């Protein structure tokens, strides 16, 4: 859901990437920063360790690298990070209500497992197809 929201926002806002980027698709918000925001904040919210704060800090640093590499601007990364982090908080909050309700019955558990498998399969197929179309074309950077 986070990836879909980020992609929709990216094409609705239609802000270009920096001139240093070889990619020509819209860059606002950064999908990488959004993913990193979600994948570092969500486990942080689930953990009780005193070291859990390192996850969002590490994720933010990795998102910052998108700027240093010339793929995004600071605002694109900040908005992406904020979107991913907000979605993590929303999913954690919704999960406290929805997940127990879904897992009460075998039909709910089966539906949840089926939805997870479906979206994991979609993600896998999408990326394998993308890798296959890039295979043999060399790097997109022209190296």
């Amino acid at each position: 859901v986070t990836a879909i929201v980020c992609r929709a926002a990216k094409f609705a806002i239609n802000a270009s990437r920096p001139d240093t980027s070889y990619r020509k698709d819209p860059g606002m918000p950064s999908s990488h920063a959004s993913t990193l925001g979600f994948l570092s904040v969500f486990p942080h919210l689930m953990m009780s360790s005193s070291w859990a704060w390192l996850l969002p800090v590490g994720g933010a640093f990795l998102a910052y690298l998108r700027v240093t590499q010339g793929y995004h601007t600071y605002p694109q990364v900040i908005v992406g990070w904020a979107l991913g982090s907000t979605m993590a908080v929303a999913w954690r909050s919704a999960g406290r209500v929805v997940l127990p309700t879904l897992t009460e019955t075998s039909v709910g558990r089966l539906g949840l497992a089926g939805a997870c498998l479906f979206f994991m399969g979609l993600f896998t197929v999408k990326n394998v197809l993308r890798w296959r179309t890039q295979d043999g074309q060399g790097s997109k950077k022209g190296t």
Side-chain angles (χ1 to χ4, degrees):
V1 171
T2 303
I4 292 168
V5 170
C6 185
R7 188 115 175 122
K10 185 178 288 261
F11 286 97
I13 297 169
N14 200 24
S16 59
R17 293 173 181 264
D19 293 336
T20 55
S21 177
Y22 69 92
R23 298 199 53 187
K24 300 303 172 205
D25 62 326
M28 169 72 88
S30 165
S31 300
H32 283 89
S34 176
T35 301
L36 288 164
F38 186 93
L39 292 177
S40 61
V41 170
F42 190 82
H44 163 75
L45 296 172
M46 301 296 289
M47 296 172 68
S48 60
S49 168
S50 61
W51 293 97
W53 62 271
L54 287 172
L55 289 169
V57 170
F61 173 73
L62 293 174
Y64 159 76
L65 292 178
R66 299 295 292 174
V67 176
T68 65
Q69 297 299 306
Y71 295 119
H72 289 286
T73 63
Y74 282 107
Q76 291 170 346
V77 168
I78 291 167
V79 170
W81 177 262
L83 173 65
S85 300
T86 301
M87 293 297 286
V89 171
W91 275 103
R92 175 66 177 126
S93 300
R96 290 181 176 172
V97 176
V98 175
L99 195 56
T101 304
L102 280 176
T103 57
E104 283 178 356
T105 66
S106 57
V107 173
R109 287 190 296 274
L110 185 61
L112 185 61
C116 288
L117 288 172
F118 174 76
F119 285 109
M120 287 169 36
L122 258 162
F123 176 81
T124 302
V125 168
K126 174 187 170 232
N127 284 293
V128 167
L129 289 175
R130 183 171 24 161
W131 295 332
R132 288 188 59 130
T133 58
Q134 291 176 354
D135 200 22
Q137 294 178 7
S139 172
K140 289 194 171 208
K141 288 185 179 182
T143 56

